[in-house]
Amino acid sequence: MKVWKTAYPWLVVVLLLFVWMLNYLDRQVIFSIFPLLQAELHISTVQLGLLGTSFLWVYAFSSPLAGHLADRFGSKRMICFSLLVWSLITLLTGYVRGYGQLVAMRSLMGVSEACYLPAGLAMIAAYHGTWTRSRAVSLHYSGTYLGTVLGGTLGGWIGSRHGWRSVFNLFGGVGVLYAFVLMSLLGNPSAETQVEEPPARGKGFKEAARVILRTPGYRSLLTVFGIASICDWAIYTWFPLYLYERFHFSLTSAGFTATFWIRAGGFIGLLCGGMLADRWARSTDRGRVWTQTVGLGLAAPCLIVSSVTGNVSLLCASMLLFGLGKGMYDGNTMPVLCEGVSAGMRATAFGFLNFAGTILGGTVALTAGILKASIGLNGTFLGCGLLMLVAAAITARIRMRSLSAESI
C-alpha cells in the first residue's frame, strides 16, 4: 500500500503527459496536411491563418472560466471531459465538407482544449509537494514536444498515404479510447493521496479572481508569463522566415533549424530545471523562483545573440541554450504559483496566466509582421531578448505568499 501511494502520483504524471501530448498533436496536425486540405477544400493561405486564429482566440478567452470550473467541479471531471470532447471534434473534423465547417470545428476545439491544462497542472500539484512538484510538472510539459513532433511527422506521413481525413479519424479515435482508459485509471486526489489539505469548497468566479489578483507575487508572475509568451510566439511564428531570408536556408532547413535546437534545449531544460528546483527548494523557499530567474537570465542573452549574429554555428548554439533556459522557466511556473495560491483556486489562477499569455503572444506575432518592413525580424527578436532580461529581473523579486484571511 505504501509503495502504491508513492508510485501513484508518478502514474498520474505519465497518464496526463499523454493527454497533453494528444492535446498538442490534435491542434498542430492540421498544419502538416495543409496542402491536402488546400487541394480538396480550396483553402487559401489567408484562410489557413484564420483557422489558427479561430482556435487561438477561443482558447484564450475560454481558459480562465475553464480553470474555474476545474476548481469547482474537480480536476478529473474536467480533464476527462476535455479529452473526450476535443477527440470527438478531431474525429468529426475528418467529415467536414467545407471551410465554414472546418472553422467551426477549430473553434470548438479551442474551447475543449482550454479545459485541460489548468485542470491537469492543478491535479499534478495536488499529488506532488515540495520534494517532487517541479520534476513532475516538467515531465508533464515534455508532452508538448512529443505532440508537436508527432503531429508534424505522423500527420504528414499518414495523410500522404491514406488521405487527410484518415489523419483526423485516427487521432480522434485514439483520443476517445484513451479518454475511457483515463476515466478508469485517474482518480481525484483524496485526503490519503494528496500532499496538502483538501481544498475548501470553491469560491465564485469573481471572488476567486479578486483573491488571486491580490495574492502577493501573482501579478508579477502574470507579467513575466506574458513576456515569456510574447517571446515564444514571436519565435515560433517568424523564426523560420528569418532564417530563410537572413541565412538563405531552404524552407525545409529553416523549419527544422527554427524548431529542433530550441525544442532539444527545452527538453533538457525541463528535466534539469525540475531536478534543480526541487533540490534548491529544500534549502530555501525561493528555490523555484531562483531556478526560473537563472533560466530567463540564460535565455535572454542567447536570444539577443541569435538576433545579431551572422554565424550559423553560433546561432544554433544560442537557440539550444535559449531553449534550455526557457525550459527551466516553463517547468516551474505552476510550482511557483502553488506557493501563494491555495489548492482550490490554482486551476483558475493558471487559467488567467494562459489567457494573458495567449492574447499577448498572438498580438505580438501579428505586430511583428506589421513592423517587419521598418525594424526587421531581427529587431523583433532583439526587442524580445531585452524584454526577457526585464522578465528575469522581475522574477528575481517575486515572493509568492498566501493572501491572509484578514485581507480576503
Side-chain angles (χ1 to χ4, degrees):
M1 187 69 174
K2 185 177 180 180
V3 174
W4 175 247
K5 185 178 179 180
T6 303
Y8 186 73
W10 289 107
L11 174 62
V12 169
V13 174
V14 174
L15 289 172
L16 296 184
L17 184 157
F18 283 104
V19 179
W20 188 226
M21 181 193 75
L22 287 171
N23 186 292
Y24 253 80
L25 188 154
D26 287 345
R27 76 169 72 173
Q28 293 291 119
V29 70
I30 193 169
F31 299 106
S32 69
I33 56 172
F34 174 60
L36 303 176
L37 287 170
Q38 188 176 35
E40 182 174 333
L41 301 180
H42 309 292
I43 299 174
S44 68
T45 304
V46 174
Q47 288 175 312
L48 175 67
L50 289 174
L51 281 178
T53 300
S54 65
F55 172 88
L56 179 66
W57 297 123
V58 172
Y59 180 90
F61 282 99
S62 301
S63 290
L65 181 58
H68 177 66
L69 292 175
D71 284 331
R72 289 296 298 269
F73 300 110
S75 295
K76 177 182 176 178
R77 290 181 181 177
M78 191 58 64
I79 290 167
C80 294
F81 168 80
S82 177
L83 173 60
L84 180 61
V85 172
W86 96 57
S87 297
L88 286 171
I89 291 169
T90 302
L91 185 65
L92 292 173
T93 302
Y95 297 95
V96 300
R97 296 298 173 187
Y99 178 71
Q101 294 177 358
L102 198 57
V103 171
M105 289 298 174
R106 294 297 289 179
S107 298
L108 290 173
M109 179 173 283
V111 176
S112 54
E113 287 205 350
C115 294
Y116 170 68
L117 187 59
L121 291 179
M123 176 173 279
I124 291 173
Y127 277 111
H128 290 268
T130 300
W131 303 105
T132 61
R133 184 170 285 160
S134 289
R135 278 174 288 168
V137 172
S138 295
L139 179 60
H140 170 267
Y141 258 110
S142 67
T144 303
Y145 306 128
L146 294 173
T148 301
V149 172
L150 289 176
T153 55
L154 276 182
W157 186 81
I158 295 171
S160 64
R161 285 160 176 76
H162 304 287
W164 66 268
R165 296 181 186 277
S166 64
V167 175
F168 292 109
N169 292 337
L170 175 62
F171 291 164
V174 169
V176 170
L177 291 175
Y178 190 59
F180 288 103
V181 172
L182 204 65
M183 290 176 193
S184 62
L185 295 179
L186 194 64
N188 273 316
S190 63
E192 292 75 29
T193 57
Q194 67 182 17
V195 296
E196 300 167 327
E197 290 296 320
R201 180 177 175 82
K203 301 177 182 295
F205 182 73
K206 290 184 178 180
E207 184 182 1
R210 181 174 62 85
V211 172
I212 290 166
L213 292 173
R214 292 177 60 200
T215 297
Y218 182 79
R219 293 187 183 183
S220 295
L221 192 70
L222 186 67
T223 300
V224 173
F225 192 87
I227 292 174
S229 298
I230 285 171
C231 298
D232 270 349
W233 280 88
I235 290 168
Y236 291 125
T237 303
W238 293 109
F239 219 76
L241 180 62
Y242 174 68
L243 296 177
Y244 177 77
E245 293 182 343
R246 181 179 175 86
F247 293 91
H248 307 293
F249 283 18
S250 67
L251 289 176
T252 302
S253 296
F256 173 81
T257 305
T259 55
F260 174 78
W261 295 106
I262 295 176
R263 292 297 190 184
F267 185 77
I268 297 170
L270 282 172
L271 300 183
C272 293
M275 291 187 288
L276 174 63
D278 281 338
R279 183 175 294 274
W280 211 342
R282 297 178 188 181
S283 58
T284 171
D285 58 1
R286 304 196 68 223
R288 292 189 169 88
V289 167
W290 288 125
T291 302
Q292 287 194 303
T293 303
V294 170
L296 292 174
L298 173 63
C302 290
L303 183 54
I304 293 172
V305 170
S306 297
S307 71
V308 298
T309 185
N311 184 284
V312 174
S313 297
L314 182 57
L315 174 78
C316 292
S318 298
M319 294 168 67
L320 179 72
L321 292 174
F322 168 81
L324 191 152
K326 188 61 169 49
M328 293 175 66
Y329 167 79
D330 286 339
N332 283 289
T333 299
M334 184 54 146
V336 169
L337 182 151
C338 291
E339 294 171 0
V341 178
S342 64
M345 293 184 288
R346 287 173 185 165
T348 307
F350 197 88
F352 283 120
L353 294 183
N354 229 14
F355 167 78
T358 307
I359 290 294
L360 289 174
T363 301
V364 168
L366 175 62
T367 304
I370 296 172
L371 296 177
K372 180 176 180 293
S374 57
I375 66 172
L377 292 176
N378 60 321
T380 294
F381 300 136
L382 176 61
C384 287
L386 295 173
L387 269 178
M388 193 165 275
L389 282 176
V390 174
I394 295 173
T395 302
R397 298 174 60 84
I398 290 177
R399 294 181 180 273
M400 292 294 296
R401 300 188 305 276
S402 298
L403 194 64
S404 65
E406 300 82 40
S407 300
I408 297 175

